[in-house]
Amino acid sequence: MKTCILIPTYNEEKSIGQLIKQIKTQNFDVLVIDDGSKDKTKDIAIKEGAIVLENKINLGKGASLRKGFEYLLSKDYDLAIIMDGDGQHSPDDINKFILKANDPQIGIVIGNRLLKPKNMPFVRLLTNKLMSVWISKLCKQNIPDSQCGYRLIKKDVLNRIRLKSQNFEIESELLIEAARSGFKIDSVPIASIYQNHKSRINPILDTIRFIKFIFNKL
């Protein structure tokens, strides 16, 4: 199955080059969506051989992913694998997702960091677990780490669902819409990499957005 690695980015010049190099050694195409970065993220990504789409201003992760999905659907890719651009996701785990996706009943494969949440901040660990309980109930499937951004999505899923979110809640919207369209969601254990990474999630604003989003989906 032809696979493209989709990386939404915002000011990731310190990590994006090495990440693309590692992915390229596995012979995958890389699509970077640069979300209005003010540093050299776009230039470095182009230099390392990624396909780059650009938002002139910062629009949010949801807007970037929707732009990336639209591009992938216009091409002949069978699978999209989303990774963060800050180095928290290991390219060594990519094949775990692809092997799991060989099951024709599975539409989405999502990473699970919570089996070995090494160095994950306690507040983030607790929040992820609580959100995962809510998302699992809405999806009527067990999704142990619903907020993990490292995930595989089949083209059939992207063709069937319609996404609207602009920000981080797109990760939950994607799972709920896929489940309600009849797709199975499975998980694979992945490395938990936290080395003084600063989260771009606003703990107040994005929590409010998430709660509003959940109530709208009830």
Side-chain angles (χ1 to χ4, degrees):
M1 290 184 284
K2 188 174 181 181
T3 303
C4 185
I5 311 300
L6 172 57
I7 308 175
T9 60
Y10 179 65
N11 294 340
E12 303 292 2
E13 65 178 6
K14 293 180 180 179
S15 55
I16 193 64
Q18 184 60 33
L19 177 60
I20 294 170
K21 283 181 182 177
Q22 289 179 274
I23 295 169
K24 284 287 188 177
T25 64
Q26 300 182 48
N27 297 315
F28 293 112
D29 292 342
V30 180
L31 173 63
V32 169
I33 311 298
D34 182 57
D35 193 21
S37 293
K38 302 185 187 308
D39 63 5
K40 296 180 180 178
T41 297
K42 180 184 75 171
D43 296 335
I44 294 170
I46 291 172
K47 181 182 177 182
E48 296 301 335
I51 305 160
V52 178
L53 303 180
E54 182 182 12
N55 296 331
K56 294 298 183 181
I57 60 173
N58 184 256
L59 297 176
K61 187 174 185 179
S64 295
L65 286 178
R66 289 192 288 111
K67 188 170 191 171
F69 294 153
E70 183 178 353
Y71 175 87
L72 295 180
L73 286 173
S74 73
K75 306 299 179 181
D76 59 346
Y77 294 107
D78 303 296
L79 305 173
I81 295 180
I82 304 171
M83 298 180 69
D84 288 346
D86 59 4
Q88 287 195 36
H89 299 153
S90 170
D92 293 339
D93 287 328
I94 289 174
N95 281 322
K96 292 181 182 179
F97 289 86
I98 294 174
L99 286 172
K100 182 74 76 169
N102 285 329
D103 184 337
Q105 295 184 349
I106 293 174
I108 294 178
V109 183
I110 185 167
N112 181 6
R113 303 158 295 176
L114 302 188
L115 293 174
K116 295 181 179 180
K118 184 179 179 181
N119 298 326
M120 183 182 287
F122 176 75
V123 172
R124 192 163 182 180
L125 176 62
L126 180 61
T127 301
N128 283 357
K129 286 187 174 182
L130 289 173
M131 288 180 172
S132 295
V133 169
W134 293 341
I135 297 300
S136 294
K137 288 183 178 179
L138 285 171
C139 292
K140 299 180 181 179
Q141 300 186 47
N142 180 37
I143 304 172
D145 189 4
S146 67
Q147 302 309 296
C148 181
Y150 200 172
R151 52 185 65 187
L152 174 150
I153 308 159
K154 290 184 177 177
K155 186 175 185 177
D156 288 348
V157 176
L158 296 177
N159 272 323
R160 186 91 71 84
I161 65 176
R162 295 292 175 265
L163 301 170
K164 300 177 181 178
S165 298
Q166 289 285 111
N167 295 290
F168 288 99
E169 64 268 25
I170 195 170
E171 294 172 340
S172 299
E173 182 185 28
L174 178 61
L175 299 176
I176 293 169
E177 294 303 317
R180 290 179 174 176
S181 295
F183 291 101
K184 181 180 177 182
I185 300 166
D186 210 336
S187 300
V188 292
I190 61 169
S192 178
I193 304 172
Y194 285 90
Q195 298 175 341
N196 298 317
H197 288 101
K198 185 178 179 180
S199 175
R200 298 195 188 283
I201 297 176
N202 184 307
I204 298 175
L205 184 59
D206 285 303
T207 297
I208 292 172
R209 284 198 190 109
F210 179 81
I211 292 172
K212 286 183 177 179
F213 169 78
I214 289 297
F215 276 105
N216 286 335
K217 291 294 181 180
L218 292 174

